[in-house]
Amino acid sequence: MKPQTLILVVDDEPQIRKFLRISLNAHGYGVTEAGRGEDGIRKCALETPSLVVLDLGLPDLDGLQVVRRIREWSEVPIIVLSVRATEQDKISALDHGANDYVTKPFGVGELLARVRVALRLREEALPDASDIAVGDLIIDFAQRRVRRDGADIKVTKKEFEILRLLAKNAGRVVTHQQMLREIWGPAQEDDTHYLRIYVGHLRQKLGDDSANPRYIENEPGVGYRLMA
Amino acid sequence: MAPENDRPTPDALLDEARNESRGKLKIFLGAYPGVGKTYSMLQAAHERRKEGLDVAVGVVETHGRAETEALLRDLEILPRVQITYRGRMFGEMNLDGLLARNPKLAIIDELAHTNVIGSRHEKRHQDVEELLAAGIDVYTTLNIQHVESLNDVITRISRIQVRETLPDKVLELASEIELVDLPPDDLIQRLRQGKVYVPEQAGRAIRNFFSKGNLTALRELAMRVAAERVDAQMVNYMRAHAIPGPWPAQDRLLVCINESPVSKRLVRTARRMAERSRIPWICVHVRTPTYDTLSEVAKGRIAEAMRLAESLEGEVVVLHAESRIVEELLAFSLKRNVTRMLIGRERRRNWSAWFRESVTQQILDKATQFEVTVISGDDTEGAKESISGGSLIPDGTPRDYVIATGAVAVATGIGVAAKYSFAFSNIALLLLIAVLLVAINYGRWPSFFASVLSFLVYDFVFTRPYYTFSIFDKSEVFTIILFLFASFIVGNLADRLRLQVAAMRTSAQRTSTLYEFSRKIAAAASLDDVLWAAVHHVASTMESSALVLLPNSENRLLIAAGYPPEDQLDMKDWGAAEWAWTNGKPAGWRSDTLPAADWLFLPLKTRRGAVGLLGVSFKQRNQPLTSEQWRLLEALVGQVAIAVERTNLASDIEEARVFTQTEQLRSALLSSVSHDLRTPLVSIIGSATSLSSYGDTLSDENRKQLVQTILDEGERLNRFVQNLLDMTRLGYGALQPKREWADMREITGRAIKQLRKVLGGRRVTLNVPETLPAIFVDPVLIEQVVANILDNAAKYTKADGRIIIEAQQVNNDLLLRITDDGPGIPPNARESVFDIFYRVRAGDGQAAGTGLGLSICRGIVEAHGGQIKAKDGPNGQGAVIEFVLPLTALPHMPDVADEIDHKKKTGKFSETADSYSGRR
């Protein structure tokens, strides 16, 4: 019997902790709770959870600081809970090491999906996988090809890079800045219009309808997510 | 100044209070030089220092006396500031240095000293006033002969005219006057011992000045001044504390002045008399139509006398009368309960004194119920001017004389012709007409010339023997002499008339310019318009440059308007402006403060205080302003101040109106919000409590439905809260779109997904092609717009209704249109449907929601620079809401440019493109 995966929930609202505990337990996860940032950090060190669900609006510490401090000694996946219209906070959290985010108020299903992705990516963290399957796409890193149902889909060099980065983080959000930084270089970190064009092309080639995307989802103001 | 009853007078109380925070002035007063004022002052300074007070010396004149210099040794002396004037260096007191040093007590010698040009103030007493205002105590010295109101008395006593005078109000500033006394005998002895500083005037004057009789008189005067001062302090104290005392009777003094030079002396005398009896006094000038014929100098004298009266704290009144000066004066005096009158009697040396009773005589005759004092004018004070106006110096250009000659010639010609054609003999009339015409148009001197010429012509051409200058007939001689007189009188009258007409014309012109200004200002709506009209008006009326300075939000002065448009003022002008603003008094060119500046600044005073400054600068700066110009300037300042105040008040009213409106909006919002927040909560709490209490007894289906209700209503509440937040941010103007490049199709898709549940079974058609250009917008906000419109459409359509979403590029905009097949929007509601409370006003019976949604759409769309409107659906059925957003050109991206072109042309991507940018 595998040891139960432990998830640390850090949120100052007892009601939120309650429904999270109930839902996560129902899905087989163990839950430990903290109501303040300092407690959260301490518990993270003491109980070594497999994942942390962290609210950004804590009373004692800035959520960002919690992320930073945990990241000083741990790579544990962190999913942050944030309010709409605070995109900058989300981006900062992601830049400082958080893995994903969920916007409040959220459906529990959305959170669970993100939790699964984060845990999977953690386990599967193989830097040099030769290919990845996402939905019905197969992305072949070695040969730099994308295939669906056996047929090749022609993509440009850059588009492939984009797809690869998204695929390596399948299911998790990748910020615009991160994509630009890794594919074009740090000097191009602000050229989001470039990115838009390329992703648009990529979507078209993959046959993805932007109104109803199947593969690449846009999180406005934050980044892109390859749906897994 | 006179007490009215037994209550403590507010003025006295105010004085006491005000004096608390100001520095205290102590004057060491002496009757003559050499009593040892400076010495006493320095001794007192040492005492204070021993007591531990922070003492600094601003300026002390030792005049080489060793004992005085010895006293200076231990005191801190501030170095003087060197000012160059006309090539010479002058050391003046360093006022700014002293203000910065901020001692508790400053020692400043010679209060009546005049500063050299280039100093901030014209007189040292003004420097001292600034120090007092800054809270610094001052010790100073003063000789009795410098006091303004005593000036003429002392001049007569000592026969030396002292020009550096000090206004009496400075004496009143002093909280303490210490009389430094030395009996005349002792002084004369010291003089002999060489211990006294000798004034500038040398020789006989000194002997006269330092005669025992002279010194005694001066000493008595000084003692009286000191005693009066003590008395005044006592009275003030008693008034402030409502101590009943033997108040003198309620008298009032009136002094009547005119253009004669004795007016200033009258004013000073009036003040002394009023002071001594502690009664109020009024200075009156009766203005008749002949005022306009006075010379500038005469008018100046009147203005100066009135200004002097004001500075000596008298009330100044100008009465207007046609000709009955005395009646007007007496009526006024009765009305104001005057009991004593002071008038002057000048020696009229012109011939009109024979014919008319002088004003003085009339007053003495008629003013029987007043106590009348008459002061005789001094012969030496008379000016060589005829009082009835007009100078005795011939004026007129050569051209005028030529024309005069011409006029006479023409008249002669006509006369001769008339004589020969019909024996016309009344040539005098013709010549008289010529003289009259010349007088009316060219003035009195050309007309005198014409008179003399006519006289000669009359003699030569028209009296027998003709064409000689001799006259046979004696009666003719008489005629001709009468003619000369008549023509002189006519000339004089016509000239007077001409001057009066000219004066009236100027006055009418001035009135019409002022009126014009009022009209322009009344029409001007914004402050800028008002200011522009103001400077334009001032500049053209005063024939100068004009500008208006207003304080900005940090209370720093900025040039708000100027004509001609002027951006720069140099340092000394700014200095004058700052001073005028801080102290609320005029400063700059020709004023008491910083007169070396090019610009003159006048505070714009309204009832709320000064609102700004008006600055004027004349091209001709060597001429002082005439009294007429001063009056005009003062009138203009008043008008501009009122205009500025009016716009300020108007904007205040507007603010208040907006505030009220906002308040109304806020209260309406509160009431609707509470309704709309509660409604979903009702369902949520209701469903949850049902589940909690009766959950086991419910069927699975019902339980699922209740749970679904909780979820749906929760989401609805979430959308409502989001709308509310956006509304608040819109209200504060804080809705700043965070723009990024976005795709309309993607945004629309997300909105549809967001409202999936609300849309339910309705058919939604999406006609938004991928090929539309990218838009530079805040995607979250635009998604909100689309979602709100869809929400609205869903509310008004049936459960199986149809909603069509289309987008297309129209010129430089992107248009999005959402059509539904509901009941449509009535024509008169198409505008107001975007107003905040449209739905609320429409009453219940409609689907819930505050109707905030559409107004938020408008706010967001307009914040992006777009427009939104509501229309009829196709064939008049259903409703259409569409909005446009301006397109921004994509920044140039070299490596994708080809791609984009290709895509535009073919609608597809080039299959072979493999853009290698070379960047990594």
Side-chain angles (χ1 to χ4, degrees):
Chain A
M1 175 90 149
K2 234 172 41 171
Q4 208 184 31
T5 317
L6 187 62
I7 297 183
L8 169 64
V9 172
V10 186
D11 194 313
D12 57 327
E13 277 293 323
Q15 308 292 46
I16 295 182
R17 290 202 303 270
K18 182 155 73 173
F19 91 77
L20 281 178
R21 177 164 35 88
I22 293 174
S23 314
L24 291 171
N25 278 340
H27 281 79
Y29 299 108
V31 174
T32 175
E33 299 172 28
R36 294 162 56 83
E38 288 289 350
D39 294 340
I41 297 173
R42 199 165 35 85
K43 282 209 171 164
C44 192
L46 283 176
E47 302 185 36
T48 58
S50 307
L51 184 131
V52 179
V53 175
L54 170 69
D55 179 28
L56 283 183
L58 291 170
D60 58 337
L61 282 180
D62 184 14
L64 213 57
Q65 283 182 300
V66 176
V67 173
R68 235 187 279 141
R69 280 172 60 177
I70 293 179
R71 277 287 169 267
E72 280 168 17
W73 40 265
S74 168
E75 284 302 313
V76 63
I78 302 177
I79 297 181
V80 294
L81 305 178
S82 69
V83 171
R84 187 197 113 152
T86 56
E87 273 71 35
Q88 196 49 48
D89 293 349
K90 291 175 199 147
I91 297 175
S92 302
L94 292 168
D95 276 346
H96 279 94
N99 299 65
D100 211 335
Y101 72 94
V102 174
T103 310
K104 292 197 286 194
F106 53 88
V108 108
E110 206 184 324
L111 176 66
L112 285 170
R114 307 271 160 101
V115 165
R116 273 197 300 273
V117 165
L119 288 172
R120 176 173 51 82
L121 288 173
R122 173 77 174 295
E123 283 173 23
E124 298 177 357
L126 301 165
D128 295 320
S130 62
D131 62 20
I132 290 184
V134 174
D136 53 1
L137 295 174
I138 298 179
I139 301 154
D140 188 343
F141 293 136
Q143 298 194 358
R144 292 179 164 270
R145 288 198 307 187
V146 185
R147 286 208 299 277
R148 177 175 48 211
D149 303 331
D152 257 353
I153 300 176
K154 271 206 148 273
V155 292
T156 68
K157 219 176 166 62
K158 282 284 188 308
E159 287 162 7
F160 187 80
E161 293 298 316
I162 294 172
L163 197 51
R164 178 156 80 133
L165 183 56
L166 288 175
K168 272 170 67 173
N169 292 281
R172 184 163 67 191
V173 71
V174 184
T175 61
H176 297 309
Q177 286 86 341
Q178 188 183 351
M179 292 170 76
L180 286 165
R181 206 171 37 231
E182 292 195 16
I183 300 174
W184 274 273
Q188 260 64 47
E189 223 176 67
D190 294 319
D191 295 342
T192 46
H193 46 280
Y194 261 67
L195 193 55
R196 227 207 99 262
I197 305 262
Y198 279 98
V199 172
H201 293 180
L202 183 58
R203 269 171 163 172
Q204 261 216 350
K205 290 185 184 171
L206 295 176
D208 210 3
D209 179 9
S210 59
N212 202 5
R214 253 196 319 161
Y215 301 112
I216 301 178
E217 177 155 14
N218 181 24
E219 317 255 316
V222 184
Y224 290 103
R225 188 196 300 271
L226 190 63
M227 294 159 80
Chain B
M1 294 243 334
E4 314 276 55
N5 49 37
D6 276 4
R7 293 213 310 276
T9 60
D11 282 333
L13 282 171
L14 196 60
D15 278 343
E16 278 219 357
R18 210 181 284 136
N19 289 340
E20 294 293 312
S21 64
R22 286 170 63 95
K24 303 222 180 330
L25 176 66
K26 176 164 172 166
I27 300 182
F28 290 81
L29 185 68
Y32 24 77
V35 294
K37 302 181 292 294
T38 313
Y39 193 82
S40 304
M41 177 175 72
L42 289 175
Q43 275 186 323
H46 273 280
E47 292 293 315
R48 296 287 91 72
R49 237 195 71 198
K50 269 200 220 118
E51 285 165 17
L53 216 60
D54 178 19
V55 178
V57 171
V59 59
V60 162
E61 306 285 352
T62 61
H63 301 303
R65 267 172 288 184
E67 11 178 70
T68 320
E69 277 185 14
L71 276 182
L72 269 180
R73 218 174 294 132
D74 283 326
L75 292 173
E76 178 189 341
I77 304 176
L78 252 70
R80 301 204 192 177
V81 63
Q82 300 294 330
I83 300 183
T84 315
Y85 178 65
R86 296 234 174 112
R88 289 180 55 196
M89 287 285 261
F90 293 86
E92 290 289 359
M93 177 180 78
N94 188 351
L95 177 60
D96 284 317
L98 202 51
L99 283 168
R101 165 73 179 73
N102 202 22
K104 194 70 194 70
L105 171 63
I107 310 292
I108 296 174
D109 211 352
E110 292 180 17
L111 188 60
H113 173 81
T114 307
N115 291 328
V116 79
I117 293 182
S119 313
R120 176 139 92 231
H121 295 281
E122 203 185 322
K123 306 280 245 166
R124 187 170 286 164
H125 73 83
Q126 292 164 320
D127 295 335
V128 168
E129 276 175 57
E130 225 183 289
L131 288 167
L132 294 174
I136 302 176
D137 292 343
V138 174
Y139 282 3
T140 187
T141 61
L142 182 67
N143 272 337
I144 198 77
Q145 70 243 39
H146 293 297
V147 177
E148 170 77 60
S149 66
L150 299 172
N151 191 283
D152 23 294
V153 171
I154 291 180
T155 310
R156 255 179 300 147
I157 293 177
S158 66
R159 257 173 282 257
I160 293 175
Q161 173 89 29
V162 175
R163 294 193 195 280
E164 269 189 341
T165 58
L166 189 78
D168 286 57
K169 69 171 163 52
V170 181
L171 270 189
E172 272 164 42
L173 276 179
S175 60
E176 220 184 303
I177 295 188
E178 181 168 317
L179 184 66
V180 182
D181 189 34
L182 190 68
D185 286 329
D186 294 355
L187 176 67
I188 292 172
Q189 185 155 37
R190 291 191 58 186
L191 194 67
R192 290 210 194 96
Q193 289 168 355
K195 284 190 181 171
V196 177
Y197 167 61
V198 169
E200 294 281 311
Q201 304 94 331
R204 181 144 49 105
I206 300 180
R207 249 180 287 147
N208 280 339
F209 188 85
F210 285 100
S211 69
K212 183 156 175 192
N214 199 32
L215 293 177
T216 311
L218 286 175
R219 187 179 178 223
E220 187 185 308
L221 205 55
M223 284 188 176
R224 197 163 345 129
V225 166
E228 274 174 11
R229 177 73 194 138
V230 169
D231 213 7
Q233 279 182 319
M234 176 203 75
V235 162
N236 242 8
Y237 178 79
M238 286 169 81
R239 261 198 230 130
H241 298 264
I243 300 169
W247 303 123
Q250 177 65 309
D251 276 338
R252 200 176 253 117
L253 176 75
L254 179 138
V255 59
C256 183
I257 59 162
N258 60 9
E259 68 278 5
S260 129
V262 85
S263 293
K264 273 177 118 168
R265 189 148 75 86
L266 279 177
V267 168
R268 287 198 202 103
T269 312
R271 177 184 153 99
R272 276 205 306 283
M273 287 169 68
E275 267 291 285
R276 210 163 290 141
S277 312
R278 249 178 274 298
I279 54 176
W281 61 287
I282 310 175
C283 170
V284 171
H285 169 60
V286 183
R287 188 173 293 177
T288 61
T290 55
Y291 175 80
D292 294 317
T293 67
L294 290 178
S295 69
E296 279 305 314
V297 178
K299 282 186 193 167
R301 267 194 237 120
I302 298 178
E304 264 178 54
M306 292 207 282
R307 268 205 290 280
L308 180 63
E310 248 180 9
S311 76
L312 292 175
E313 286 165 5
E315 188 187 333
V316 175
V317 173
V318 173
L319 295 177
H320 290 90
E322 279 304 309
S323 59
R324 302 159 72 74
I325 298 175
V326 178
E327 279 77 3
E328 202 56 51
L329 194 62
L330 292 179
F332 178 77
S333 305
L334 282 174
K335 195 166 67 162
R336 296 296 304 273
N337 289 323
V338 167
T339 53
R340 300 157 66 170
M341 269 196 186
L342 179 66
I343 53 180
R345 182 179 76 100
E346 70 285 339
R347 304 264 211 90
R348 297 188 125 219
R349 277 179 282 117
N350 62 13
W351 48 274
S352 57
W354 294 359
F355 298 96
R356 271 184 293 150
E357 208 179 34
S358 75
V359 170
T360 313
Q361 198 58 44
Q362 284 183 49
I363 291 180
L364 286 173
D365 282 345
K366 296 191 183 154
T368 48
Q369 64 271 65
F370 304 108
E371 187 184 311
V372 181
T373 309
V374 181
I375 305 246
S376 225
D378 199 340
D379 276 352
T380 61
E381 290 177 45
K384 295 190 180 7
E385 278 185 34
S386 135
I387 304 242
S388 60
S391 68
L392 288 165
I393 305 160
D395 61 10
T397 70
R399 176 171 158 270
D400 297 341
Y401 290 97
V402 167
I403 295 188
T405 317
V408 172
V410 166
T412 312
I414 297 176
V416 166
K419 186 166 90 148
Y420 284 126
S421 28
F422 46 89
F424 177 68
S425 59
N426 213 341
I427 199 62
L429 284 176
L430 268 175
L431 290 171
L432 211 53
I433 290 175
V435 169
L436 188 63
L437 288 174
V438 170
I440 286 183
N441 290 305
Y442 299 104
R444 104 182 9 192
W445 286 100
S447 85
F448 284 173
F449 175 73
S451 298
V452 169
L453 207 56
S454 304
F455 170 76
L456 291 174
V457 160
Y458 200 165
D459 184 357
F460 195 73
V461 179
F462 295 102
T463 48
R464 279 184 279 261
Y466 294 132
Y467 303 107
T468 69
F469 276 116
S470 49
I471 305 171
F472 281 159
D473 204 337
K474 283 207 187 49
S475 68
E476 294 267 0
V477 173
F478 193 48
T479 312
I480 221 175
I481 291 180
L482 273 182
F483 166 79
L484 188 61
F485 271 128
S487 71
F488 274 156
I489 293 177
V490 160
N492 206 12
L493 281 176
D495 177 59
R496 286 248 293 251
L497 184 66
R498 181 181 71 96
L499 288 175
Q500 278 198 349
V501 166
M504 278 205 294
R505 207 178 282 136
T506 337
S507 155
Q509 179 67 23
R510 177 161 50 97
T511 312
S512 88
T513 359
L514 286 175
Y515 173 65
E516 190 57 38
F517 181 54
S518 300
R519 268 192 342 131
K520 258 190 241 163
I521 295 245
S526 70
L527 184 64
D528 276 338
D529 290 338
V530 165
L531 290 178
W532 196 90
V535 291
H536 189 82
H537 175 74
V538 171
S540 58
T541 313
M542 302 291 308
E543 288 176 326
S544 68
S545 306
L547 50 76
V548 172
L549 296 170
L550 292 179
N552 68 357
S553 48
E554 293 146 25
N555 219 28
R556 288 193 53 217
L557 282 177
L558 293 174
I559 299 180
Y563 189 81
E566 186 97 19
D567 290 331
Q568 312 275 14
L569 287 175
D570 63 19
M571 285 300 296
K572 57 183 190 313
D573 295 323
W574 272 117
E578 295 285 338
W579 196 93
W581 173 244
T582 323
N583 292 273
K585 289 193 255 197
W589 183 70
R590 297 263 164 206
S591 72
D592 289 339
T593 308
L594 294 168
D598 290 334
W599 286 80
L600 171 64
F601 293 100
L602 301 141
L604 295 168
K605 287 216 179 109
T606 66
R607 217 155 351 133
R608 297 159 146 204
V611 293
L613 296 176
L614 176 70
V616 284
S617 167
F618 296 90
K619 286 196 207 54
Q620 304 278 61
R621 279 200 268 276
N622 44 0
Q623 295 268 34
L625 288 182
T626 63
S627 52
E628 170 71 22
Q629 282 176 307
W630 264 116
R631 275 210 313 277
L632 194 55
L633 195 54
E634 277 162 17
L636 287 171
V637 166
Q639 277 188 317
V640 173
I642 290 179
V644 169
E645 188 184 36
R646 196 204 65 144
T647 42
N648 284 344
L649 285 175
S651 72
D652 283 351
I653 290 178
E654 185 59 28
E655 263 179 47
R657 195 179 62 82
V658 166
F659 183 71
T660 320
Q661 263 194 355
T662 319
E663 281 307 301
Q664 283 175 343
L665 220 59
R666 203 172 290 162
S667 66
L669 184 62
L670 270 172
S671 62
S672 92
V673 159
S674 88
H675 171 267
D676 291 318
L677 274 178
R678 293 237 168 81
T679 313
L681 283 174
V682 166
S683 313
I684 291 173
I685 294 180
S687 307
T689 47
S690 300
L691 280 171
S692 130
S693 308
Y694 316 111
D696 333 333
T697 64
L698 292 173
S699 68
D700 267 351
E701 182 55 36
N702 282 340
R703 234 183 298 138
K704 275 200 192 125
Q705 281 207 0
L706 285 179
V707 169
Q708 191 62 39
T709 305
I710 296 178
L711 184 55
D712 292 342
E713 290 298 275
E715 282 176 356
R716 185 167 132 210
L717 197 55
N718 186 27
R719 276 198 305 281
F720 175 73
V721 166
Q722 196 52 57
N723 269 348
L724 209 57
L725 283 172
D726 285 340
M727 203 61 227
T728 320
R729 279 158 69 205
L730 263 175
Y732 293 156
L735 200 70
Q736 296 292 354
K738 275 188 252 154
R739 295 184 191 239
E740 57 183 57
W741 289 101
D743 182 28
M744 188 51 111
R745 189 178 166 88
E746 185 183 296
I747 291 176
T748 336
R750 293 176 69 88
I752 296 173
K753 220 183 275 184
Q754 197 192 117
L755 289 183
R756 198 170 29 210
K757 290 226 191 92
V758 172
L759 291 169
R762 293 169 181 79
R763 289 164 293 164
V764 179
T765 314
L766 192 62
N767 273 341
V768 181
E770 292 263 6
T771 51
L772 283 174
I775 43 179
F776 193 53
V777 296
D778 185 327
V780 177
L781 290 179
I782 301 296
E783 186 186 319
Q784 177 90 347
V785 171
V786 178
N788 281 356
I789 301 176
L790 284 177
D791 199 10
N792 192 61
K795 273 195 201 88
Y796 286 104
T797 54
K798 295 205 268 278
D800 61 348
R802 242 190 121 199
I803 299 179
I804 305 173
I805 309 176
E806 318 166 84
Q808 61 193 112
Q809 179 174 0
V810 175
N811 299 326
N812 274 337
D813 297 323
L814 189 75
L815 171 83
L816 187 90
R817 181 184 302 126
I818 299 180
T819 315
D820 70 50
D821 62 354
I825 303 172
N828 59 347
R830 277 197 206 121
E831 272 301 309
S832 45
V833 91
F834 295 105
D835 287 342
I836 294 186
F837 295 118
Y838 173 67
R839 179 117 27 87
V840 168
R841 271 191 241 121
D844 271 321
Q846 310 230 11
T850 40
L852 278 181
L854 286 181
S855 61
I856 286 171
C857 293
R858 179 165 69 176
I860 293 177
V861 165
E862 284 177 3
H864 280 83
Q867 282 182 331
I868 186 169
K869 60 176 167 222
K871 299 205 300 214
D872 251 348
N875 304 325
Q877 286 195 331
V880 164
I881 297 188
E882 61 181 40
F883 64 90
V884 288
L885 295 169
L887 286 170
T888 323
L890 275 174
H892 183 62
M893 292 172 287
D895 38 328
V896 288
D898 299 329
E899 283 276 339
I900 294 175
D901 281 339
H902 189 273
K903 182 176 171 200
K904 273 204 193 121
K905 288 197 202 113
T906 64
K908 296 190 299 185
F909 290 103
S910 59
E911 290 293 335
T912 56
D914 190 21
S915 42
Y916 191 109
S917 73
R919 273 197 231 159
R920 256 280 151 208

